[in-house]
């Protein structure tokens, strides 16, 4: 081999190595964002909307980011394993999107202090752990007004996932507003102890319908209750977390829509530019994190107008869904005339308001 050939080969090797290093460097420059999902991205509800937020991050930042996700992750030890693997694989930011991921998130965050974690609907924070949630109870208040106006049997069914403050808040909020427009209304609640299980959710809806409910609300993630109501006929429902518009104009007559995209974009950008700090965010209709899906033609015009007026008043701060006079289920005083509930009480709510029958499971 001639000296010239050796020189050319060495030069080519150097260029190749430089190219590989540049490519690796470009890959390393990407911000890697992980998402841990409790259900499938095609659930049509909660996880679907979180995944829409993930896709919005990709669209916003393009090749500056890489997103990864794992779906159907059970709350508990398995979620800790998934988070750990994401961190080991180079994630800079990890969103953990269910209440039951709270302690696993804190545990993994301690092991990876340079990784930022964002936990949805929880209350435990750390230097590298933020929390975020939406004021779903604001949307529940609007659903309660519509439900109380639409029921003919005066029985409203409610499918509860787990008896945690977030779900109890929603039941109370809906009941308060339903009772205001219909003093004869009753709530029947079925707990399914799952976020996503179409079979259990459908069975719960059928049980409530058999008990006389002609309006069914849900705090679970699948469209199964909508399908069950459609089959039964004469029953109204509301989309949960996502619009579920495929069941409009009825049985689904409106919905609560979770819009996570702006928050996910904001927090990813904070990691990218080095300004991320631990925060606790709780946004609602005013900030756009809670949306109200189209109120369909099945709802009378006067009821629709009242619901939209409530939405505007909540957004402006003129109205708070929890405004006294209100008593607790046991008859004890809670809020005086004109008094509104503070965030601390709402965040830890573990009681029903007066008029709701049954006990909260322990």
């Amino acid at each position: 081999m001639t000296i010239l050939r050796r020189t050319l080969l060495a030069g080519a090797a150097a260029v190749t190595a430089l190219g590989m290093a540049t490519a690796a460097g470009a890959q390393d420059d990407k911000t890697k964002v992980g998402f841990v999902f409790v259900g499938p991205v095609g659930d049509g509800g909660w996880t679907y909307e979180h995944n829409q937020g993930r896709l919005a991050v990709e669209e916003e930042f393009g090749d500056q980011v890489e997103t990864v996700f794992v779906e159907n992750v059970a709350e508990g030890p398995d979620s800790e394993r998934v988070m750990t693997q994401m961190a080991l694989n180079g994630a800079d930011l990890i969103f953990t999107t269910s209440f039951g991921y709270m302690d696993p998130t804190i545990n993994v965050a301690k092991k990876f202090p340079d990784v930022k974690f964002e936990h949805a609907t929880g209350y435990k924070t750390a230097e590298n752990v933020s929390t975020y949630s939406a004021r779903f109870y604001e949307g529940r208040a609007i659903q309660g007004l519509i439900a109380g106006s639409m029921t003919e049997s005066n029985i409203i069914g409610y499918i509860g996932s787990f008896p945690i403050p977030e779900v109890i808040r929603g039941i109370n909020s809906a009941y308060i507003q339903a009772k205001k427009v219909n003093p004869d209304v009753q709530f029947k609640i079925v707990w399914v102890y799952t976020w996503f299980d179409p079979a259990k959710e459908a069975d719960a809806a059928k049980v409530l319908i058999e008990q006389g409910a002609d309006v069914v609300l849900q705090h679970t993630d699948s469209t199964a209750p909508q399908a069950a109501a459609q089959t039964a006929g004469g029953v109204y429902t509301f989309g949960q977390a996502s619009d579920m518009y495929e069941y409009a104009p009825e049985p689904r007559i409106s919905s609560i829509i979770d819009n996570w995209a702006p928050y996910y974009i904001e927090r990813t950008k904070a990691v990218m530019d080095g300004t991320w700090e631990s925060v606790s965010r709780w946004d609602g209709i005013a900030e756009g994190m809670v949306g109200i899906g189209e109120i369909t033609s099945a709802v009378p015009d006067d009821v629709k107008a009242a619901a939209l007026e409530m939405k505007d008043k909540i957004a402006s701060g003129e109205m708070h869904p929890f405004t006294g006079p209100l008593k607790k289920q046991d008859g004890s005083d809670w809020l005086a005339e004109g008094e509104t509930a503070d965030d601390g009480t709402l965040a830890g709510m573990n009681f029903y308001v007066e008029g709701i029958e049954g006990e909260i499971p322990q």
Side-chain angles (χ1 to χ4, degrees):
M1 184 181 292
T2 65
I3 294 175
L4 176 60
R5 189 178 178 190
R6 287 197 191 99
T7 302
L8 290 173
L9 287 173
V15 170
T16 300
L18 179 61
M20 292 174 64
T22 302
Q27 180 71 21
D28 290 343
D29 287 343
K30 284 187 176 185
T31 299
K32 190 168 185 177
V33 186
F35 294 81
V36 183
F37 295 145
V38 72
V41 296
D43 68 357
W46 175 263
T47 296
Y48 172 82
E49 288 298 337
H50 281 285
N51 192 55
Q52 291 300 110
R54 178 187 69 84
L55 294 174
V57 169
E58 290 187 342
E59 183 176 353
E60 178 74 16
F61 298 109
D63 59 8
Q64 293 178 276
V65 300
E66 176 190 356
T67 72
V68 296
F69 70 91
V70 180
E71 56 189 336
N72 293 314
V73 178
E75 295 173 318
D78 196 48
S79 67
E80 191 164 333
R81 176 190 62 80
V82 171
M83 295 172 208
T84 299
Q85 195 59 52
M86 278 188 180
L88 289 172
N89 287 342
D92 302 291
L93 172 64
I94 299 175
F95 292 97
T96 61
T97 63
S98 191
F99 181 81
Y101 296 154
M102 181 166 59
D103 288 336
T105 299
I106 294 294
N107 293 341
V108 176
K110 290 177 182 177
K111 302 172 187 175
F112 298 92
D114 294 331
V115 178
K116 312 303 183 188
F117 292 82
E118 298 267 352
H119 177 234
T121 72
Y123 54 85
K124 294 183 180 180
T125 62
E127 189 173 344
N128 62 330
V129 180
S130 284
T131 59
Y132 64 102
S133 189
R135 295 181 184 269
F136 308 117
Y137 67 85
E138 294 180 347
R140 301 286 179 204
I142 296 167
Q143 289 186 348
L145 182 154
I146 298 172
S149 302
M150 296 295 288
T151 180
E152 295 183 2
S153 68
N154 293 327
I155 298 174
I156 295 173
Y158 206 112
I159 303 172
S161 47
F162 295 94
I164 60 175
E166 173 192 331
V167 182
I168 296 167
R169 270 196 309 273
I171 294 170
N172 283 333
S173 181
Y175 178 79
I176 290 166
Q177 303 308 322
K179 193 77 171 177
K180 283 183 178 179
V181 297
N182 183 350
D184 296 324
V185 80
Q186 300 176 51
F187 266 35
K188 292 188 180 294
I189 303 162
V190 172
W191 296 97
V192 292
Y193 297 96
T194 182
W195 295 112
F196 178 82
D197 187 321
K200 286 185 178 180
E201 294 173 63
D203 286 345
K206 292 172 185 175
V207 166
L208 290 167
I209 293 167
E210 288 170 359
Q211 292 178 354
D214 58 358
V215 182
V216 175
L217 287 73
Q218 67 184 89
H219 201 127
T220 52
D221 299 343
S222 86
T223 59
Q226 316 289 323
Q230 189 175 63
T231 299
V235 179
Y236 296 118
T237 60
F238 295 84
Q240 153 66 12
S242 189
D243 205 18
M244 300 185 180
Y245 192 77
E246 62 267 35
Y247 291 95
E250 52 183 282
R252 170 251 177 248
I253 53 176
S254 187
S255 58
I256 296 176
I257 303 172
D258 306 342
N259 181 19
W260 305 110
Y263 184 79
Y264 286 168
I265 290 170
E266 173 193 334
R267 301 301 283 168
T268 299
K269 186 176 186 301
V271 169
M272 294 170 73
D273 61 24
T275 61
W276 189 97
E277 293 181 344
S278 177
V279 299
S280 294
R281 187 75 64 84
W282 199 11
D283 291 344
I285 290 174
E287 297 84 1
M289 192 175 275
V290 175
I292 303 300
E294 179 187 359
I295 301 171
T296 72
S297 57
V299 179
D301 288 344
D302 61 332
V303 177
K304 179 177 179 178
L308 293 176
E309 180 182 9
M310 178 181 286
K311 175 187 174 184
D312 290 342
K313 286 184 175 180
I314 291 173
S316 68
E318 184 179 348
M319 178 199 169
H320 192 293
F322 290 97
T323 301
L326 287 173
K327 295 179 180 289
K328 295 183 179 181
Q329 186 188 47
D330 62 8
S332 62
D333 291 333
W334 176 30
L335 296 174
E337 178 77 36
E339 184 183 6
T340 59
D342 62 89
D343 278 357
T345 301
L346 292 178
M349 183 167 278
N350 61 356
F351 60 87
Y352 286 145
V353 294
E354 185 179 45
I356 297 180
E357 298 177 359
E359 296 182 357
I360 298 172
Q362 299 299 314

